Amino acid sequence: MTTCTLAKHFNSLLFGLLFIGFSHLATAQKPVLLEDFNFKTGEKYKRIKNLNSYLFASGDYVVSLKKDRKDIVVQRFALKDLKEDIKKRQTIEDKGDFQTAMLLGDKVVSFYTNGDKLYAQKIAFSKIVAEQPILVGSDKENITNDFGFKSTYGFDAGGRINKFGIKKSRDGSRVVVVFRIKTDDDRADKIGISVYSTSLAKIWSRKVTMPTASGRMEYEDFMVANNGDFYMTASVFNSKDADKNKMEATYNTVLYKITGDEKDIVESQLTLNGKSVTDAVIEENKGKVLIAGFYADNANKKESSGAFIAPVDNTGKISATKPANFPAEKVQQLLAEREARIAEGTQDKDEKMDFENLKVNEIVFSGSNVNIFGEQRYVEVFTTSSSSGSRTTYKYYYRDILALQMSDQGTINWMHLLPKDQIGAVGKRSMSYINLFKEGKHYLFYIDDFVNLKRSFAENPQRYYDGKKEFNYMTAYIINDNTGEVSKEAILTGSDIRNARLDNIELSKHASLSDGSRIFEVFDGKKNYLLVKVSYEK
């Protein structure tokens, strides 16, 4: 185990940059974050090929789950030195289709499906224990493969959800399982809801018939509150729409509250005159439920034009909708910068506009203020045909970060569009970003091409390619929560991690500690993995 302060790593950063022939970057802005963080690295261990991987931390241990085609490999590490206990490595047979894994209480829980049934299997941190699977989702009616919810807020990797949706409450004390029953478009939609404790003891379960036909509903987001109540949003179209094309059709955003006491569904419409919700998520803060997101003018639904918050009262009704257009001065500034880049040839005029395809990534509460962190992310699908058949490929884009703060009165205190350009072919992996809110500052960590360190916010960033073997680094945008002041600083480079490239570091699959520390699993570009712990030490 090696322990290094990031103050020392600034020299490593300069050395690495000089070594590859970019000595002019040695005079780049001083990485302020190097004074705020340090990190530890564990011993290298042989790479285990996998389709999905997850990291969890609890007590004195770290657990890694690696899903292969038929099995799940469980590795256990000591938190103090990030070293694996090889004797406690365990292989668990995957008895169905793996869905996801999460930390519930003091156990890691792996979820998998077998037909129309969802099972949960608890895995211990300190011992070689994988308990017998527990049935947590099923129904006598046919469960549809089309889960129907379009928002992936709160889901790992932002990927497609099949059959069952699984989420924890904000405080981690409740977990909900949701599914849809197959219904014709002209019949009322049905959903199944089951709420459990962290020990997976069932608290309540219901199958609910919705007040609207399937052909007119598109579910958006859902959550379980700390007290076990269930909330979800849906776009309800004025008429049946096979494609449910929001760019052309008219729709309203509706909130539903469902409890376990068999009472009627509480229904409440989110009202934005002359505007349509483009993305909205449900969150909870100290027992109070809130909807937050982006909207667009009905005359131009392609681009978001503002943000909103909508507090929900104890009955489940939206008490007020508080919209705020993006500041005109900021919008004009961004447009002028875009036109300048197009004129100088550093940006294609056909690239998406700044406020297209905005999705909410996280809601962070700060006193009476609500911080909304979004991202321009989308997927392009390509299908080619040949004599041997057709082939479909995907391109995943994770681009600029939109960060803004709204007061409880619905005014925007500050807003930033932070340049970032990431693209990949196999899902999220090393792309997007994670937020650490500490001592009044938001640290937005992401993986980037190192040449972007000295580029201004007005310049087009060099594109980062997920999985491409090149010299990358972890950097962060730092935003002062009170003033909105923002800067960009380097965190670490491949040379800081045993002189290895940052070939792969899946930000979304990190382990979080109560003090805000994050643990990542890093591939060294050769044949080994190792764990890296980044800690706030200011």
Side-chain angles (χ1 to χ4, degrees):
M1 166 63 68
T2 63
T3 302
C4 309
T5 63
L6 285 182
K8 296 178 180 178
H9 299 326
F10 184 45
N11 293 329
S12 299
L13 171 63
L14 295 183
F15 176 81
L17 296 175
L18 287 164
F19 177 78
I20 58 176
F22 286 84
S23 59
H24 62 284
L25 289 184
T27 58
Q29 62 193 84
K30 182 183 177 182
V32 175
L33 269 187
L34 299 182
E35 300 174 359
D36 293 358
F37 289 82
N38 68 29
F39 71 84
K40 296 180 180 180
T41 60
E43 292 184 1
K44 291 184 179 182
Y45 48 94
K46 189 174 181 181
R47 183 186 187 192
I48 299 173
K49 292 184 179 180
N50 62 86
L51 302 175
N52 285 292
S53 63
Y54 298 83
L55 273 180
F56 304 95
S58 179
D60 298 325
Y61 299 92
V62 178
V63 163
S64 168
L65 263 62
K66 293 182 172 64
K67 172 66 180 72
D68 200 352
R69 295 191 179 277
K70 296 182 180 180
D71 302 307
I72 298 174
V73 177
V74 182
Q75 296 171 272
R76 295 173 174 85
F77 303 80
L79 183 59
K80 63 180 179 180
D81 57 10
L82 303 180
K83 182 178 179 181
E84 182 186 4
D85 187 341
I86 300 294
K87 294 180 180 180
K88 292 182 179 178
R89 185 180 291 189
Q90 183 179 14
T91 300
I92 302 172
E93 180 186 0
D94 188 1
K95 300 177 182 178
D97 293 324
F98 176 83
Q99 299 295 299
T100 188
M102 63 178 59
L103 179 64
L104 293 177
D106 60 352
K107 299 286 180 65
V108 173
V109 180
S110 169
F111 293 89
Y112 67 89
T113 58
N114 195 326
D116 278 356
K117 296 181 178 181
L118 176 70
Y119 293 90
Q121 187 168 27
K122 298 179 184 179
I123 299 167
F125 272 85
S126 60
K127 301 177 181 178
I128 305 178
V129 177
E131 300 177 16
Q132 288 297 313
I134 302 169
L135 180 65
V136 292
S138 66
D139 198 83
K140 294 180 181 178
E141 297 186 78
N142 290 328
I143 296 176
T144 178
N145 286 324
D146 180 11
F147 178 66
F149 284 84
K150 298 303 179 184
S151 171
T152 53
Y153 179 72
F155 282 93
D156 57 348
R160 184 174 183 272
I161 310 161
N162 295 303
K163 287 192 177 182
F164 296 93
I166 311 157
K167 274 190 182 182
K168 291 194 296 185
S169 60
R170 191 172 181 89
D171 68 356
S173 65
R174 300 288 185 267
V175 60
V176 65
V177 174
V178 187
F179 59 85
R180 290 179 61 233
I181 301 296
K182 291 180 181 178
T183 54
D184 296 331
D185 282 352
D186 57 354
R187 297 183 60 190
D189 207 61
K190 288 183 181 180
I191 61 170
I193 308 159
S194 296
V195 176
Y196 298 86
S197 68
T198 53
S199 65
L200 293 180
K202 185 182 291 186
I203 298 173
W204 64 269
S205 183
R206 288 180 65 182
K207 188 163 61 176
V208 179
T209 300
M210 298 303 296
T212 307
S214 289
R216 291 181 51 214
M217 292 190 74
E218 182 174 89
Y219 296 110
E220 299 293 348
D221 189 32
F222 71 94
M223 70 155 240
V224 59
N226 297 337
N227 67 359
D229 291 343
F230 177 77
Y231 294 83
M232 69 179 184
T233 54
S235 296
V236 177
F237 293 80
N238 286 8
S239 60
K240 181 180 174 181
D241 189 319
D243 296 327
K244 296 178 180 175
N245 187 338
K246 289 187 175 183
M247 294 295 105
E248 299 177 0
T250 302
Y251 63 93
N252 295 304
T253 299
V254 179
L255 172 71
Y256 302 94
K257 177 183 179 181
I258 301 171
T259 61
D261 57 9
E262 301 298 329
K263 289 184 178 179
D264 293 337
I265 299 171
V266 178
E267 183 177 351
S268 182
Q269 184 169 309
L270 198 156
T271 303
L272 289 166
N273 294 328
K275 307 175 189 304
S276 296
V277 174
T278 54
D279 194 44
V281 302
I282 317 168
E283 266 295 1
E284 182 178 12
N285 180 42
K286 298 179 180 178
K288 300 293 185 181
V289 175
L290 178 91
I291 307 174
F294 306 121
Y295 62 78
D297 298 325
N298 287 341
N300 179 20
K301 293 183 182 179
K302 190 176 181 180
E303 298 176 60
S304 296
S305 59
F308 72 90
I309 55 174
V312 179
D313 64 25
N314 293 334
T315 69
K317 294 279 188 177
I318 296 172
S319 58
T321 303
K322 302 175 181 180
N325 288 335
F326 295 148
E329 184 179 348
K330 172 65 74 172
V331 173
Q332 290 301 318
Q333 174 195 336
L334 293 170
L335 183 60
E337 291 172 352
R338 173 188 172 89
E339 291 175 348
R341 291 191 297 267
I342 292 173
E344 67 187 15
T346 58
Q347 180 170 335
D348 193 314
K349 66 179 181 179
D350 294 327
E351 278 191 23
K352 288 185 178 291
M353 300 297 289
D354 291 334
F355 300 118
E356 283 189 69
N357 298 105
L358 285 181
K359 300 293 183 183
V360 180
N361 279 18
E362 187 177 19
I363 303 297
V364 178
F365 298 96
S366 174
S368 61
N369 297 319
V370 179
N371 297 285
I372 303 175
F373 292 92
E375 186 174 34
Q376 186 185 61
R377 49 183 163 92
Y378 54 95
V379 182
E380 291 182 348
V381 183
F382 305 89
T383 301
T384 56
S385 300
S386 64
S387 58
S388 59
S390 61
R391 180 172 181 263
T392 301
T393 57
Y394 302 87
K395 283 187 178 180
Y396 299 86
Y397 294 85
Y398 290 81
R399 305 191 68 179
D400 295 348
I401 300 168
L402 179 64
L404 62 87
Q405 184 183 88
M406 293 189 72
S407 71
D408 57 358
Q409 300 302 310
T411 58
I412 294 179
N413 295 334
W414 49 258
M415 184 180 100
H416 298 290
L417 191 69
L418 306 173
K420 180 173 67 66
D421 191 359
Q422 302 165 314
I423 184 173
V426 288
K428 191 174 183 180
R429 299 215 311 173
S430 67
M431 299 184 291
S432 194
Y433 64 95
I434 58 175
N435 182 11
L436 171 61
F437 185 33
K438 202 77 174 177
E439 301 295 331
K441 292 182 180 180
H442 302 275
Y443 298 89
L444 309 181
F445 296 94
Y446 67 104
I447 306 300
D448 202 10
D449 189 293
F450 77 98
V451 302
N452 289 324
L453 180 59
K454 71 168 187 173
R455 294 195 175 183
S456 72
F457 293 175
E459 294 180 275
N460 234 21
Q462 175 78 20
R463 176 164 284 177
Y464 164 78
Y465 293 90
D466 173 62
K468 185 177 180 180
K469 298 184 184 301
E470 58 185 13
F471 193 84
N472 302 314
Y473 70 96
M474 181 186 288
T475 192
Y477 285 111
I478 310 98
I479 305 174
N480 185 300
D481 182 77
N482 184 41
T483 66
E485 182 182 2
V486 62
S487 62
K488 178 176 63 175
E489 309 294 350
I491 301 299
L492 59 89
T493 71
S495 62
D496 297 322
I497 304 176
R498 305 288 181 85
N499 296 312
R501 280 194 304 245
L502 285 180
D503 259 19
N504 185 17
I505 175 170
E506 295 195 31
L507 291 188
S508 61
K509 305 296 177 63
H510 66 275
S512 298
L513 303 181
S514 58
D515 64 357
S517 299
R518 307 295 173 96
I519 299 175
F520 305 93
E521 187 172 53
V522 178
F523 178 45
D524 72 354
K526 298 177 182 179
K527 297 181 179 179
N528 302 300
Y529 281 134
L530 67 156
L531 297 186
V532 178
K533 178 184 176 184
V534 179
S535 303
Y536 183 88
E537 295 290 348
K538 188 172 180 179

